[in-house]
Amino acid sequence: MRAVVTGGAGFIGSHLLEALTRRGDQAVCVERRGASRRWIAGLPVTVHECGVADAECLAAAMRGADIVFHLAALTEARTPEDFYAVNTDGTASVMRAAASFGDAAPRVILVSSLAALGPCRSGAPLDEDAVPHPLSTYGRSKLLAEAVVHAYADRVPATILRLPTVYGPRERAVLKFFQLVRRGVALTIGDWDRALTLLHVQDLVAGLLRVAETPASVGRTYILSHPEAVTWRAFAETVGRALGRVPVLLSVPVPVARVIARTAELVAAAGRRAAILNRERLREMTQRSWLCSTARAAAELGFAPQVPAAVGVPLTAAWYREAGWL
């Protein structure tokens, strides 16, 4: 199989490229100019430094490809326009490039997000048929990316995957939580018993490959996640056990967090950079439930994740230590 991975030098992409090359597949990495290649250094992959804005360059990278894993996306951005430029318009460039091959168009697997759906509203776990209600510009940009994929359904065979929080070796956002716990403190905003589902990168890579090997997945949308429900309290305790700590659980009241988020936005705007915490992200973080159902993926793909939090968290902590990040 000849596979193209957009965003291939990043956290998820590098793990996927490792898996593809281990299998003996031909792998092509599409990555923006100047992006670090540290995680794919030494892998037998061809790299195209064009990002996802240039459909002509993307088409050159896709020549002869069987499948395109479209991972490239922004999860933090300085302006709403930046989210749409990469997540939505970038997806349009990928689909346009794929469609340029006519009947030989490669399959495209779009990696989307539960943020495109929004949180649980009825109390039931999110599934593929839930009515979208995104709370953030990021979520809206990913939902529009899905719409782009649907618009090309008559020209490009494609599958959409919606993911929860993905964690594991090389991931830096969850790292901050681990670093706090190592110091004996765990910090959240609002209620510690907010519930979510998680996905270890090892299970995600297995799911991506399963989709690629399942022709019947064309035209379908799936949620990939570990089925266990995890509260932030339980997650903090699991991280604590992995690090040999019993963290003190601290919570910032939501009204205080709103002031902090607004201040962070102003400071980031003055420095012309993305705010790590902003009011939209705060709204997503403080929702009561981001639980989801993986029934369709289990039934149609045979997707059976093997890494619950009790296993994935210690594995991640061990990698962080070895890498000198903890």
Side-chain angles (χ1 to χ4, degrees), residues 29-322:
C29 171
V30 172
E31 191 54 85
R32 69 187 188 281
R33 291 178 180 84
S36 172
R37 299 187 193 178
R38 65 181 297 192
W39 306 126
I40 62 170
L43 291 180
V45 302
T46 302
V47 178
H48 287 256
E49 283 194 330
C50 62
V52 293
D54 187 339
E56 185 175 335
C57 183
L58 285 168
M62 291 180 194
R63 193 168 305 281
D66 300 296
I67 195 153
V68 177
F69 296 94
H70 180 32
L71 310 181
L74 285 183
T75 57
E76 296 177 0
R78 189 172 59 85
T79 67
E81 290 75 18
D82 291 341
F83 276 123
Y84 293 117
V86 175
N87 298 347
T88 306
D89 296 343
T91 298
S93 293
V94 168
M95 299 304 289
R96 187 161 56 249
S100 70
F101 293 97
D103 291 341
R107 283 186 60 193
V108 174
I109 297 175
L110 169 68
V111 172
S112 186
S113 169
L114 285 186
L117 280 179
C120 303
R121 301 175 67 195
S122 66
L126 297 165
D127 63 19
E128 291 82 358
D129 296 324
V131 176
H133 185 69
L135 300 181
S136 64
T137 304
Y138 167 71
R140 289 186 287 273
S141 70
K142 295 299 280 185
L143 184 60
L144 285 175
E146 295 182 12
V148 169
V149 170
H150 290 305
Y152 277 84
D154 60 335
R155 288 159 285 172
V156 179
T159 304
I160 295 169
L161 303 180
R162 291 168 174 161
L163 308 182
T165 296
V166 180
Y167 72 104
R170 304 174 192 161
E171 203 281 327
R172 288 188 174 273
V174 177
L175 168 65
K176 298 167 187 175
F177 193 83
F178 279 70
Q179 290 171 330
L180 276 176
V181 173
R182 185 176 64 85
R183 295 179 174 89
V185 175
L187 184 66
T188 194
I189 297 170
D191 188 356
W192 272 104
D193 293 314
R194 303 185 325 275
L196 72 161
T197 46
L198 300 167
L199 183 60
H200 190 273
V201 68
Q202 176 181 312
D203 283 333
L204 172 54
V205 169
L208 288 166
L209 296 178
R210 181 60 65 91
V211 172
E213 295 164 352
T214 307
S217 67
V218 170
R220 300 291 281 163
T221 297
Y222 298 98
I223 292 173
L224 297 188
S225 179
H226 196 283
E228 68 176 345
V230 179
T231 65
W232 276 106
R233 182 187 304 276
F235 185 69
E237 292 168 349
T238 303
V239 173
R241 284 192 294 272
L243 300 179
R245 297 285 191 274
V246 179
V248 176
L249 304 184
L250 302 178
S251 175
V252 177
V254 174
V256 174
R258 289 196 188 101
V259 175
I260 295 171
R262 178 54 179 157
T263 302
E265 289 174 7
L266 294 172
V267 171
R272 301 184 62 80
R273 63 179 186 274
I276 295 175
L277 177 66
N278 57 52
R279 285 169 293 176
E280 286 191 336
R281 176 161 293 180
L282 176 63
R283 190 179 178 196
E284 289 183 330
M285 289 172 59
T286 54
Q287 296 302 306
R288 183 69 184 173
S289 174
W290 284 90
L291 299 179
C292 58
S293 168
T294 59
R296 179 184 291 181
E300 298 184 11
L301 304 173
F303 179 63
Q306 302 296 305
V307 189
V311 175
V313 166
L315 287 174
T316 303
W319 188 91
Y320 285 157
R321 283 198 181 103
E322 186 176 346

